[in-house]
Amino acid sequence: IACDSYLWSANSTTYTGSGNFNATLTNLAGCDSVATLNLTINNSNSGSANVIACDSYLWSANSTTYTGSGNFNATLTNMAGCDSVATLNLTINNSNASSTNVIACDTYTWAVNSTTYTMSGNYPTTLTNAAGCDSVITLNLTINNSNSGSANVSACNTYTWSANGTTYLTTGNYTATLTNVNGCDSVATLNLFIGSFSSSSTSVSACNSYTWTQTGLTYTTTGNYSDTILNGTGCDSIIMLDLTVNYSNSGSANIIACDSYTWSANSTTYTANGNYTVTLTNAAGCDSVATLNLTINNSNSGSANVIACDSYLWSANSTTYTGSGNFTATLTNIAGCDSVATLNLTINNSNSGSANVIACDSYLWSANSTTYTGSGNFNATLTNIAGCDSVVTLNLTINNSNSGSANVIACDSYLWSANFTTYTGSGNFTATLTNAAGCDSVATLNLTINNSNSGSANVIACDSYTWSANSTTYTITGNYTSTLTNIAGCDSVATLNLTINTVNIATTSSDPSITASATGAVYQWIDCSNGNQVLSGEISQTFTATTNGDYAVIVTENGCTDTSACVTIATIGLETISQFDEVALFPNPTSGVVTIKFGALENKNVRVISITGRIVQVIEDISTASYQLNLSDEAPGVYFIEIESDGFRKQLKLIKE
């Protein structure tokens, strides 16, 4: 390992770059002796810092304190063991101080520090002057106080306030600002109540007379009346009465009626002679007394009970009736009122009828005690309860009974629709039904019952399980059923009690370390970059890489084994300087164009490397503070942006969508 260059004595050659070099010499035996030089060249470097400080500056590079501006050097040893020359470009600026005198009323807000003061005093504040150093300003403050007072006043209609010569017409709180002996505001407050003249009017309608409660006087004629009082504000209030006086009236009627009379004046029905009165309201809204002088004459009535055959002619009204009922006829009696005659009539009729009968096999007709075995129409003559002929006709239909049987094979049970009975065993069963003709139909069931069966299996599997019973793949623990058909042709229910075990293959990465999320498991780390090569001895939950590459872990838990996704480690061997803290990459993820912000870095070179290690782009000698990188033509995936400045490097991960 050498700094900057190396002179190899074997072949007197000076090398300035790292590499493996050979030289062929002659050994003591006179034969070729091949010497190999495995050379690492580390470079010296230099850097500078521009610093502005106030009054003095302690440089950490050489632990020296400077009080004046200048350029200073310090020689250090870098991480490669070579010289690193640091230059300090230092500017020293100085602090200063000043004061100001202020007199204010009540409070003062100092614009210098945006602070409000309410008491006299000396207040210092520290600012930054134009040179970026402390500037101490002192405020010498005198606070004088304002004062205030108030007066409560009541007046009618208007009030002129001597404090400001203003005349007010309405109630309210008013202020006037004066100047006291300290030159500050003196606020006077007027709490003013303004009372006012008022008037009101009331319209009243009354019957015959009206007593006004305001004056206690009774008025019997229509007119306008007034009275003056003090209102609630202490001012005159005139009250007006607009009075209308209406008057009552009366009248009578002489009426003769039969049996009863309903008087429309009060909707009352009277049945006796007499003089009756009612009080109504006339059009003016006052009492109107009506008198009814009533004479009642009475009607009379009579009735007759008659039984006749087929029809009856009533002489009272010369009407012929052919049906039973109660009938009336109205006549006029000697008093000129109705005389009502009532006929209670019963008409008995001769009759005939027929009966439609449907019977099974035979029918006994009670009308003539005859048994019929064939369909037909038959007559019989009877006497009805009124003593008249009654001819009855029988329209007879004779239907016949029948029977049948059915052979049935069923599983476990069978519900026979013929009698809605469920059978669970084989046998021969009968049911008596009614056929379409309404007669007995005897059905016979020849039944064979076959039985279903069932079974279960307990299975533990990793990740998934395909059940041969139904060719279904399950990925979740549970109890599953499948219905098959046994040799008897009935259901065979199979139950699978399944337990699915899984492996947690999640990982977390903190470059250069990767940690498996599963706890209490068996671990084996592998190198994805080298054909999933097993890493000997790497069997802990956390793996720390020593070289860049892609790594994964094989996890065994719950009797199952699975492998995690590969994780990329790409920061081993990258050196950085503090200026790299300002480097930014955006947007990330990107669809194509990404901006790199370099901050204070100088002499920038950029390399874009794919996740497979392919160098995609190289950009050298970037002089601008930012650079736009175009990856629009690259495939989506993960890329590493390597930034090099003054021999130091930083690598950032970029996702291309």
Side-chain angles (χ1 to χ4, degrees), residues 10 134 295 313 330 387 453 516 594 652:
D134 290 344
T295 300
L313 173 61
T330 302
N453 58 355
V594 62
L652 302 173

Side-chain angles (χ1 to χ4, degrees), residues 210-219 226-227 241:
Y210 178 74
T211 299
W212 193 17
T213 57
Q214 184 62 41
T215 59
L217 298 176
T218 298
Y219 303 95
S226 65
D227 188 32
L241 173 64

Side-chain angles (χ1 to χ4, degrees), residues 150-198:
S150 65
N152 299 318
V153 174
S154 296
C156 284
N157 298 326
T158 66
Y159 179 74
T160 301
W161 192 17
S162 60
N164 58 4
T166 300
T167 298
Y168 299 97
L169 303 177
T170 59
T171 297
N173 298 320
Y174 305 95
T175 59
T177 302
L178 310 174
T179 301
N180 63 13
V181 295
N182 293 322
C184 296
D185 288 343
S186 174
V187 179
T189 300
L190 171 64
N191 302 316
L192 177 63
F193 175 78
I194 295 293
S196 61
F197 168 83
S198 64

Side-chain angles (χ1 to χ4, degrees), residues 599-652:
L601 290 181
E602 299 179 353
N603 306 317
K604 288 90 63 179
N605 299 317
V606 172
R607 288 200 310 167
V608 181
I609 305 169
S610 73
I611 196 169
T612 62
R614 177 175 64 90
I615 297 177
V616 176
Q617 291 187 39
V618 176
I619 307 98
E620 296 181 337
D621 300 326
I622 300 173
S623 60
T624 57
S626 65
Y627 183 82
Q628 282 196 333
L629 190 64
N630 192 340
L631 298 178
S632 298
D633 295 334
E634 300 299 328
V638 176
Y639 294 85
F640 298 99
I641 310 302
E642 185 180 273
I643 303 169
E644 186 271 331
S645 174
D646 295 328
F648 293 89
R649 290 181 297 162
K650 182 180 181 70
Q651 196 174 77
L652 302 173

